[in-house]
Amino acid sequence: MKSFHKSIFFTKAPLGGCYKYKDIFQIYPADLEGMPKSRLQRHFPNVIEYWTVPEEKLSFSFSDDDDDDEYLADLRSLTATTITKQERILNLLSTFTNNLFFRQSSPEGMWGMPILSDDPGVDANSWESKWCWEMYFFPGMPDQLKIEGFTNQIIKPISMIHYPEYYYEYPHLDSDRTKEVTLPSIISELFDTYFSLEPALQKSIDSAISYTVSAVELSDRRKTLSLLSSFTSLETMINIEYDGVKIEKCEACGQPKFSVSRKFREYLLKYIGSSDTNKKKFNSFYSLRSKLVHTGRQLQTETLFAEVEKETKYSELVTRIEILQLGKLGIVNWLYHRYLSAS
C-alpha cells in the first residue's frame, strides 16, 4: 500500500510552474496558508509530493539502545525512508536540469542575523545575531503537508526547452534568481530510463549522480573540488560503459592498448559529440584533470579575492561551466541513448 508524502524543498531560482512525472512524484511552488515569504530570499520554497511503499522501508538507529522505544524507532524509520526517497528525486532533478534542487539538511545550526523586515531602514542597527536552526517552519505547516494522494494542480507547467540546446545554450546554473527554472524536453524520458534500470546498475548511476550534485553544490565555494567532482562523475560513467570489456595489452610493451585517457576521450566523443574540435578539447580537459589530481594544483580563481587577469577569470569560468555540463551530459546522454535504443 502506498503512503503519500508532501515535503518542502528549495531552488535558488523561482520554480515557475508544476511538473508531474507519471504517478511517481510532482513538484510545484509552495503556496501554503501562512507560509513565511521574503522579497530578499535566495532560497525559494517548493513542494514535492511522492509516495513510498513498505518494501522501501529503512531501519535506522544512532546506537544499539535506540530501538527500545517502538514509537521513536518507527519515527526514525519513517524519516530515513522518506528523506532517502526525496533526496533521490531531488538529485535526479539537479542532474537532469540546469538548477540545484535541495532540501535543508544541516542539523548543527549556525549563528545568523534574522531579517525582521524586507525594508528595515535604521531599525536594522538594533538587530543582533541569534543561534538559528536551518529550518523552514511555521504554525499550521504540518497539517498542510498531510495528503492521501497527489493534489490537483491548476497552475501552468514548468517551461521546457528543446534538447540538446537546453544544456548548451541555457546553462542557467542558478546565476539569475529572477529567471524561472526550466526543464529539458526529454526529462520524462530520462526518468523512464533511470527507473527501468536494474538495481545494481541504478546504484552505479546513483554514484555518478551524487558526484555531479556535489559539483553543483561546490561550484561557487570550492571551484577546484567542484571540477574534481565532475571528473569523478564522468569516470564513474566510463567505468560503467567499459565494465566487462576486456582490454588488450600491447605485445611489445605490455601496456593496455586502451589507456585511461583514451577511454575518457572516447566516452565523451561517443556521448557528447565526435569532432576534431571536441577531441582536442576533451584531451585538454583530461590534461587539466591530471594536473589537479597528481600535482595538487588549484584553479587560479580558487580564492575569493584572487589577483588574476580578467581574461583568466573568464577563461576559468567558461572551463568550469563546460566541465560541469559535461558531468551532467555524461549521465543524461548515456540514459537518453539507452532510451532510444530501447524504443
Side-chain angles (χ1 to χ4, degrees), residues 10-52:
F10 298 88
T11 49
K12 294 184 179 181
L15 196 56
C18 176
Y19 171 72
K20 183 176 183 180
Y21 172 65
K22 297 184 174 179
D23 283 326
I24 306 298
F25 72 88
Q26 71 175 353
I27 56 174
Y28 53 91
D31 188 21
L32 304 174
E33 184 179 351
M35 64 179 285
K37 299 178 182 179
S38 173
R39 180 174 55 82
L40 306 177
Q41 66 187 7
R42 294 296 189 273
H43 294 175
F44 295 82
N46 307 289
V47 169
I48 179 170
E49 297 178 357
Y50 59 101
W51 48 261
T52 58

Side-chain angles (χ1 to χ4, degrees), residues 4-7 9 24-28 47-51 89 147 149-153:
F4 284 83
H5 312 281
K6 180 177 179 179
S7 304
F9 75 95
I24 306 298
F25 72 88
Q26 71 175 353
I27 56 174
Y28 53 91
V47 169
I48 179 170
E49 297 178 357
Y50 59 101
W51 48 261
I89 296 171
I147 57 173
F150 290 118
T151 58
N152 293 324
Q153 298 299 313

Side-chain angles (χ1 to χ4, degrees), residues 96-208:
F96 296 165
T97 72
N98 287 328
N99 300 86
L100 180 64
F101 293 68
F102 63 99
R103 66 178 189 85
Q104 293 175 319
S105 58
S106 174
E108 296 181 350
M110 67 187 76
W111 283 105
M113 181 73 78
I115 300 177
L116 305 178
S117 170
D118 286 351
D119 298 291
V122 296
D123 291 342
N125 294 329
S126 63
W127 294 355
E128 63 180 11
S129 295
K130 301 288 185 181
W131 185 253
C132 303
W133 286 340
E134 187 182 8
M135 178 182 295
Y136 188 83
F137 185 83
F138 58 94
M141 187 179 90
D143 288 338
Q144 294 187 64
L145 296 182
K146 295 177 181 177
I147 57 173
E148 296 182 356
F150 290 118
T151 58
N152 293 324
Q153 298 299 313
I154 58 174
I155 61 175
K156 68 176 183 178
I158 298 175
S159 298
M160 293 197 179
I161 296 177
H162 188 68
Y163 163 90
E165 288 81 3
Y166 175 83
Y167 297 100
Y168 295 118
E169 299 179 15
Y170 303 91
H172 185 290
L173 305 179
D174 296 318
S175 59
D176 184 353
R177 68 184 182 94
T178 66
K179 188 175 181 180
E180 293 184 350
V181 171
T182 57
L183 303 176
S185 58
I186 61 167
I187 190 167
S188 294
E189 288 83 351
L190 298 177
F191 279 116
D192 285 345
T193 308
Y194 172 83
F195 285 117
S196 70
L197 297 175
E198 60 185 40
L201 182 54
Q202 193 178 87
K203 186 176 181 180
S204 296
I205 297 295
D206 284 342
S207 294

